[in-house]
Amino acid sequence: AQTVTQSQPEMSVQEAETVTLSCTYDTSESDYYLFWYKQPPSRQMILVIRQEAYKQQNATENRFSVNFQKAAKSFSLKISDSQLGDAAMYFCAYRSALLIKAAGNKLTFGGGTRVLVKP
Amino acid sequence: KAGVTQTPRYLIKTRGQQVTLSCSPISGHRSVSWYQQTPGQGLQFLFEYFSETQRNKGNFPGRFSGRQFSNSRSEMNVSTLELGDSALYLCASSLGHLSTDTQYFGPGTRLTVL
């Protein structure tokens, strides 16, 4: 079974500064997808970024970028130029890419990291 | 396109009762997954439905069940409610047939069991 670990329960960042959230995962599969979701106080889960394991290039979405280290099974999220609206819980998630029609769409989540943004 | 909708948004029940939650996916999405979120256990996968069939199931007791209709709307039912069932229940929809699938979440149903 796959596991996802987020070792930082809470991170604090000054507005306009950069913060990096850590995520490690354990899997025996070679093909999979990794995600970062944001959950603000409204509780709505919002997709931040997605990484395909077969792609060496790190994904980037505006101020959000990842550092994907497949051999180390590490998938960190960097938030640049932090804004007050970035304050939220951030969840790292794993999904297998093997035989999606059989394995289904199960996401395995880490425990989350709360990001506080100081003005 | 409209996003994933969940009804009701809030629910209060007492122990022993049963409850039904509803999820309407994004138009064109055929997969609906359900997750339970609690402070103690975090986000846990309940089950997934694709084209009216349960495709995957998490490690929850049989009191938790679900179904999916021909229009892809899904319901989950919890019978004989226990205090520990108090949680935020999230559903997520996706196309369901692509390896590149991404799940989009609804706003959740907050269930409180007294």
Side-chain angles (χ1 to χ4, degrees), chain A residues 33 35 37 39 42-47 50 52 54 91 95 97 100-107 109-110, chain B residues 9 31 33 35 37 43 45 48 55-56 88 90 94 96-103 105-107 110:
Chain A
Y33 295 86
F35 305 84
Y37 280 92
Q39 189 178 43
S42 67
R43 308 302 264 174
Q44 173 98 42
M45 294 280 278
I46 302 165
L47 176 68
R50 184 184 81 176
E52 292 86 349
Y54 62 85
F91 292 94
R95 181 176 69 75
I100 185 173
K101 292 182 181 179
N105 240 330
K106 175 184 176 181
L107 285 170
F109 286 92
Chain B
R9 293 292 310 278
S31 166
S33 299
Y35 296 84
Q37 185 176 22
L43 278 152
F45 173 77
E48 183 214 3
R55 184 161 68 172
N56 205 347
L88 180 69
L90 295 165
S94 69
H97 63 278
L98 300 173
S99 294
T100 53
D101 241 24
T102 295
Q103 292 184 46
F105 284 80
R110 168 74 66 185

Side-chain angles (χ1 to χ4, degrees), chain B:
Chain B
K1 277 187 180 179
V4 180
T5 58
Q6 290 187 246
T7 56
R9 293 292 310 278
Y10 302 91
L11 210 47
I12 299 175
K13 293 286 187 179
T14 56
R15 279 181 297 174
Q17 288 187 309
Q18 76 163 17
V19 67
T20 299
L21 312 182
S22 180
C23 173
S24 292
I26 292 170
S27 177
H29 285 191
R30 293 161 59 195
S31 166
V32 173
S33 299
W34 289 89
Y35 296 84
Q36 181 195 65
Q37 185 176 22
T38 60
Q41 299 298 316
L43 278 152
Q44 293 187 289
F45 173 77
L46 280 155
F47 31 65
E48 183 214 3
Y49 286 86
F50 176 72
S51 292
E52 301 179 65
T53 300
Q54 187 180 84
R55 184 161 68 172
N56 205 347
K57 188 177 187 301
N59 189 26
F60 278 80
R63 299 186 297 107
F64 292 82
S65 64
R67 60 177 175 169
Q68 187 179 35
F69 302 94
S70 59
N71 62 357
S72 294
R73 189 177 70 85
S74 177
E75 289 181 346
M76 70 162 280
N77 184 77
V78 187
S79 62
T80 319
L81 283 166
E82 300 177 359
L83 294 178
D85 297 333
S86 293
L88 180 69
Y89 289 89
L90 295 165
C91 82
S93 79
S94 69
L95 292 170
H97 63 278
L98 300 173
S99 294
T100 53
D101 241 24
T102 295
Q103 292 184 46
Y104 297 90
F105 284 80
T109 294
R110 168 74 66 185
L111 172 65
T112 302
V113 182
L114 302 176

Side-chain angles (χ1 to χ4, degrees), chain A residues 50-69:
Chain A
R50 184 184 81 176
Q51 175 77 44
E52 292 86 349
Y54 62 85
K55 288 186 178 179
Q56 291 188 339
Q57 186 174 6
N58 290 321
T60 299
E61 286 288 342
N62 300 314
R63 298 182 294 106
F64 298 88
S65 62
V66 299
N67 183 3
F68 174 50
Q69 302 290 328

